[in-house]
Amino acid sequence: MATRQNSTNGKPKSPRIQVVLPEIICEQLTILATNESRTVSNMAKVLIQQGINKYFEKEGKALVSEHNLNTDQFRDELEKQSVRRLKRAPQRIRYYKKSD
Protein backbone atom coordinates (compact mmCIF):
# COMPACT_ATOMS: atom_id res chain seq x y z
CA MET A 1 0.00 0.00 0.00
CA ALA A 2 1.22 3.53 -0.76
CA THR A 3 2.45 5.52 2.21
CA ARG A 4 1.66 9.18 2.72
CA GLN A 5 4.11 11.46 4.51
CA ASN A 6 3.78 15.04 5.70
CA SER A 7 6.05 17.83 4.52
CA THR A 8 7.86 20.13 6.93
CA ASN A 9 4.99 22.60 6.79
CA GLY A 10 2.50 19.90 7.78
CA LYS A 11 0.78 19.47 4.42
CA PRO A 12 0.44 15.87 3.21
CA LYS A 13 2.79 14.81 0.41
CA SER A 14 1.68 12.72 -2.54
CA PRO A 15 1.54 8.97 -1.84
CA ARG A 16 4.86 7.11 -2.11
CA ILE A 17 5.58 3.55 -3.20
CA GLN A 18 8.77 1.56 -2.93
CA VAL A 19 9.81 -0.64 -5.86
CA VAL A 20 12.74 -3.00 -6.28
CA LEU A 21 14.05 -3.04 -9.86
CA PRO A 22 16.54 -5.32 -11.58
CA GLU A 23 19.78 -3.54 -12.40
CA ILE A 24 19.16 -3.51 -16.16
CA ILE A 25 15.72 -1.88 -15.81
CA CYS A 26 17.15 0.72 -13.43
CA GLU A 27 19.86 1.57 -15.97
CA GLN A 28 17.32 1.84 -18.77
CA LEU A 29 15.11 4.05 -16.62
CA THR A 30 18.07 6.30 -15.84
CA ILE A 31 18.92 6.62 -19.55
CA LEU A 32 15.32 7.51 -20.42
CA ALA A 33 15.19 10.08 -17.61
CA THR A 34 18.44 11.68 -18.76
CA ASN A 35 17.23 11.85 -22.36
CA GLU A 36 14.07 13.70 -21.29
CA SER A 37 15.78 15.88 -18.64
CA ARG A 38 13.71 14.34 -15.87
CA THR A 39 14.50 12.82 -12.52
CA VAL A 40 14.48 9.04 -12.39
CA SER A 41 11.47 9.00 -10.06
CA ASN A 42 9.54 11.40 -12.33
CA MET A 43 10.35 9.25 -15.36
CA ALA A 44 9.11 6.18 -13.48
CA LYS A 45 5.88 8.05 -12.65
CA VAL A 46 5.35 8.96 -16.33
CA LEU A 47 5.95 5.38 -17.49
CA ILE A 48 3.61 3.99 -14.82
CA GLN A 49 0.90 6.46 -15.90
CA GLN A 50 1.31 5.46 -19.54
CA GLY A 51 1.19 1.76 -18.66
CA ILE A 52 -1.96 2.17 -16.56
CA ASN A 53 -3.65 4.19 -19.31
CA LYS A 54 -2.79 1.54 -21.95
CA TYR A 55 -4.04 -1.23 -19.66
CA PHE A 56 -7.40 0.41 -19.11
CA GLU A 57 -7.74 1.35 -22.80
CA LYS A 58 -7.23 -2.32 -23.65
CA GLU A 59 -9.85 -3.31 -21.08
CA GLY A 60 -12.23 -0.63 -22.41
CA LYS A 61 -12.59 1.05 -19.02
CA ALA A 62 -11.96 4.64 -18.02
CA LEU A 63 -9.95 4.99 -14.82
CA VAL A 64 -9.01 8.66 -14.85
CA SER A 65 -11.42 11.50 -15.48
CA GLU A 66 -10.73 13.82 -18.42
CA HIS A 67 -10.11 16.70 -15.99
CA ASN A 68 -7.35 14.80 -14.15
CA LEU A 69 -5.80 13.74 -17.45
CA ASN A 70 -5.67 17.36 -18.66
CA THR A 71 -4.14 18.45 -15.35
CA ASP A 72 -1.45 15.76 -15.62
CA GLN A 73 -0.66 16.77 -19.19
CA PHE A 74 -0.42 20.43 -18.16
CA ARG A 75 1.90 19.51 -15.26
CA ASP A 76 4.07 17.37 -17.54
CA GLU A 77 4.41 20.25 -20.02
CA LEU A 78 5.45 22.59 -17.21
CA GLU A 79 8.01 20.07 -15.95
CA LYS A 80 9.55 19.81 -19.43
CA GLN A 81 10.21 23.55 -19.59
CA SER A 82 13.70 24.71 -18.75
CA VAL A 83 14.28 26.87 -15.70
CA ARG A 84 15.38 30.40 -16.47
CA ARG A 85 17.01 32.42 -13.70
CA LEU A 86 16.88 36.18 -13.45
CA LYS A 87 20.26 37.84 -13.96
CA ARG A 88 19.48 40.62 -11.50
CA ALA A 89 16.66 41.98 -9.42
CA PRO A 90 13.73 43.38 -11.41
CA GLN A 91 14.01 47.07 -12.12
CA ARG A 92 11.45 49.58 -10.99
CA ILE A 93 9.03 50.70 -13.66
CA ARG A 94 8.68 54.47 -13.92
CA TYR A 95 5.67 56.15 -15.43
CA TYR A 96 5.97 59.70 -16.76
CA LYS A 97 3.11 62.10 -17.14
CA LYS A 98 2.71 63.72 -20.51
CA SER A 99 3.23 67.45 -20.40
CA ASP A 100 0.68 69.30 -22.55
Side-chain angles (χ1 to χ4, degrees):
M1 171 160 233
T3 59
R4 187 177 292 269
Q5 301 170 336
N6 288 332
S7 63
T8 54
N9 64 4
K11 292 183 181 179
K13 291 182 176 181
S14 297
R16 307 290 200 251
I17 61 170
Q18 187 175 11
V19 179
V20 178
L21 298 174
E23 193 69 33
I24 187 72
I25 293 177
C26 188
E27 289 173 7
Q28 292 170 341
L29 183 61
T30 303
I31 291 168
L32 287 173
T34 303
N35 290 344
E36 292 200 16
S37 299
R38 296 177 180 268
T39 63
V40 175
S41 60
N42 181 263
M43 191 72 229
K45 179 194 82 152
V46 169
L47 293 174
I48 290 170
Q49 285 175 334
Q50 291 174 354
I52 289 172
N53 289 340
K54 284 182 184 178
Y55 177 83
F56 281 100
E57 284 175 7
K58 186 176 86 173
E59 296 291 319
K61 300 176 185 175
L63 173 68
V64 181
S65 70
E66 192 65 32
H67 175 71
N68 286 344
L69 188 59
N70 290 338
T71 303
D72 289 340
Q73 289 173 345
F74 176 71
R75 184 180 303 120
D76 289 341
E77 289 300 319
L78 285 178
E79 289 172 349
K80 287 180 184 177
Q81 292 179 2
S82 63
V83 177
R84 208 178 83 205
R85 303 273 183 210
L86 294 174
K87 293 182 181 176
R88 59 176 188 253
Q91 294 180 344
R92 185 177 208 176
I93 299 174
R94 296 182 184 146
Y95 296 99
Y96 297 101
K97 291 182 181 179
K98 287 185 178 179
S99 57
D100 292 326

